Amino acid sequence: MQKSQLGSSDLYVSKLGLGCMSLGTEEKTAFPILEAALEEGINYFDTADLYDQGKNEQLLGRFFKNNREDVIIATKVGNKWEDKKDGWSWDASKSYIKEQVKTSLKRLGTDYIDLYQLHGGMMEDPIEETIEAFEELKEEGVILYYGISSIRPNVIREYVKRSSIVSVMMQYSILDRRPEEVALPLLAENNISVVTRGPVAKGLLSPKYRDKVTEKGYLDYSGEELKEVLQTLEQKFADKRTLTEAAIQYNLAQTPVASIIAGASSVEQLRANANAVNSAPLTAEELTFIKEISKASVYEAHR
């Protein structure tokens, strides 16, 4: 599988990364998926301290204990699980980040994290303090690089201007083109990579979309609009590629996109995602067609 340089870092990530949140907590189901990922040439594994209350990091730690240096592990921080409550709170403070990284390192069974990401972010955060925490962790060698996971244009602008992030993870698909408004051009200009999640829009951009479409629709699309655009896409690519392949290749066609993070709950799903990434790139005509029939979504407020 092809690899891309992540921003200005010396990390080269596979075009498809495995989103580990859907692996569950049982080795007997998770390990075969991780094995298949390695067989497909995937070297980029994305998790978070929040997933299964830390058990996801532990799972990866056990699996990669003998080949840690062969893979790139990305995890996230900022969401603090509340043991006595049903949920979590947000904490982007320097003290929390520097304390929490120790816990993630222990769970992952490693002495460094390749990519440490802020798991969100708001303009109300103590941004300078947050950046300081990540920079100090880099200096200490505890993390190699850092990035953010955010869809908020104003937050992204602040980190581009004030930090040395190498990547931004964001939701992006044919049905959610909001990043094209601000984020993609800005990040491309500053040599910061984009890692996309949700490329198939909760299964809507897949051959099984008819089971997924409801009257509620999706983002700016009503149920009828959604059904119409999906049918049009399916007809367009019927003889060339699946809807999933078209969706994933649309993401990869954008200049700053280095990798797509997709989850998999089975080996078969993992291999299907890998096949989609390895399929032929979209032609200029196909890209134009997709942009003409889909909505160029914008953010209501640049937060």
Side-chain angles (χ1 to χ4, degrees):
M1 182 175 292
Q2 289 185 338
K3 296 181 175 61
S4 300
Q5 184 176 8
L6 196 67
S8 58
S9 78
D10 61 2
L11 300 177
Y12 283 79
V13 296
S14 49
K15 290 280 190 178
L16 176 65
L18 180 63
C20 297
M21 183 172 67
S22 58
L23 288 176
T25 58
E26 297 296 323
E27 291 185 5
K28 63 182 180 181
T29 53
F31 279 18
I33 297 171
L34 290 166
E35 287 282 4
L38 292 177
E39 289 170 5
E40 292 290 345
I42 294 171
N43 73 340
Y44 183 22
F45 298 84
D46 182 85
T47 183
D49 55 6
L50 188 67
Y51 298 165
D52 291 317
Q53 299 183 47
K55 292 178 182 177
N56 197 259
E57 288 182 328
Q58 291 176 335
L59 187 76
L60 293 186
R62 293 196 298 274
F63 183 81
F64 290 119
K65 64 182 179 181
N66 295 322
N67 60 343
R68 170 68 184 91
E69 294 182 358
D70 297 333
V71 296
I72 293 168
I73 294 178
T75 191
K76 310 181 196 75
V77 66
N79 289 301
K80 182 190 293 186
W81 186 266
E82 303 289 342
D83 290 331
K84 297 180 180 179
K85 299 178 182 178
D86 185 19
W88 54 86
S89 60
W90 177 247
D91 192 341
S93 68
K94 178 179 178 179
S95 59
Y96 179 70
I97 292 169
K98 295 204 71 174
E99 186 60 35
Q100 187 58 33
V101 73
K102 299 175 186 175
T103 309
S104 285
L105 288 167
K106 184 177 180 180
R107 286 193 290 244
L108 288 165
T110 184
D111 56 5
Y112 71 96
I113 292 167
D114 299 279
L115 180 66
Y116 204 35
Q117 301 160 106
L118 185 67
H119 203 171
M122 300 179 290
M123 291 301 293
E124 294 79 10
D125 290 342
I127 294 177
E128 201 63 45
E129 179 183 316
T130 304
I131 293 170
E132 198 173 271
F134 284 108
E135 290 290 347
E136 288 183 8
L137 291 175
K138 270 183 66 177
E139 290 175 10
E140 295 164 11
V142 173
I143 65 173
L144 301 186
Y145 300 97
Y146 67 99
I148 62 172
S149 176
S150 178
I151 60 170
R152 295 182 169 97
N154 279 352
V155 171
I156 293 170
R157 284 193 188 98
E158 288 300 305
Y159 279 88
V160 169
K161 182 169 59 178
R162 298 160 66 176
S163 78
S164 61
I165 58 170
V166 298
S167 64
V168 178
M169 176 182 279
M170 64 183 69
Q171 178 174 303
Y172 180 52
S173 72
I174 291 172
L175 299 178
D176 183 4
R177 292 174 54 199
R178 290 176 295 177
E180 295 175 13
E181 180 194 5
V182 174
L184 294 186
L186 176 66
L187 296 170
E189 182 182 340
N190 287 274
N191 192 29
I192 297 169
S193 287
V194 173
V195 176
T196 64
R197 59 180 177 82
V200 295
K202 298 181 178 179
L204 289 169
L205 291 162
S206 77
K208 297 181 179 179
Y209 72 86
R210 289 176 179 80
D211 299 330
K212 309 282 184 179
V213 176
T214 65
E215 292 182 3
K216 184 179 179 181
Y218 183 77
L219 296 178
D220 295 337
Y221 294 87
S222 67
E224 279 303 312
E225 289 175 326
L226 184 59
K227 188 175 180 181
E228 182 179 349
V229 74
L230 292 174
Q231 287 177 339
T232 305
L233 282 169
E234 185 178 51
Q235 290 168 5
K236 170 68 176 178
F237 296 109
D239 299 328
K240 301 176 183 178
R241 60 177 91 233
T242 66
L243 201 53
T244 299
E245 289 172 355
I248 284 178
Q249 287 301 325
Y250 182 80
N251 277 29
L252 291 174
Q254 314 309 317
T255 302
V257 174
S259 184
I260 291 172
I261 296 294
S265 54
S266 68
V267 170
E268 292 73 23
Q269 187 179 14
L270 182 283
R271 296 202 189 279
N273 290 339
N275 288 337
V277 167
N278 291 329
S279 64
L282 294 172
T283 65
E285 184 272 330
E286 289 173 331
L287 280 168
T288 299
F289 175 83
I290 290 172
K291 289 183 177 181
E292 286 177 348
I293 68 160
S294 61
K295 293 185 178 183
S297 316
V298 297
Y299 288 95
E300 293 180 8
H302 284 196
R303 294 175 59 79

